[in-house]
Amino acid sequence: MTKKFTTPGRRGAFDRLFIKSGRVVIIEFKDPDGIISPLQQDEYDNLTDHGADAHFCYSYEQCKNILGIHN
């Protein structure tokens, strides 16, 4: 299952939540040459400091790897 993640009035939130078999992965999608904004870095640091499985993804293949999709 995937959900678009929105936080009205709050910038820097990651793009999507992926949920499967009890695993929740939070992903921010970036262009291959995309820059991580300071707000996004702060959000990532906050999420991972609290044990979240959060990632920046720069390609479809990288995203599939993170999610364990092997087809």
Side-chain angles (χ1 to χ4, degrees):
M1 172 200 310
T2 182
K3 296 284 186 183
K4 172 74 176 140
F5 190 66
T6 60
T7 54
R10 184 156 188 253
R11 300 186 60 153
F14 276 39
D15 292 321
R16 295 251 176 209
L17 297 173
F18 292 86
I19 306 165
K20 184 176 181 183
S21 302
R23 181 178 178 217
V24 178
V25 179
I26 306 163
I27 294 180
E28 170 66 25
F29 292 98
K30 306 298 283 179
D31 288 330
D33 58 347
I35 304 295
I36 299 169
S37 74
L39 284 173
Q40 289 171 330
Q41 186 63 55
D42 288 346
E43 184 70 7
Y44 173 83
D45 293 342
N46 189 34
L47 288 166
T48 57
D49 286 349
H50 287 89
D53 191 0
H55 302 270
F56 294 101
C57 254
Y58 293 89
S59 72
Y60 179 67
E61 289 302 315
Q62 182 186 20
C63 186
K64 284 180 21 178
N65 250 357
I66 290 167
L67 296 172
I69 298 169
H70 305 289
N71 57 15

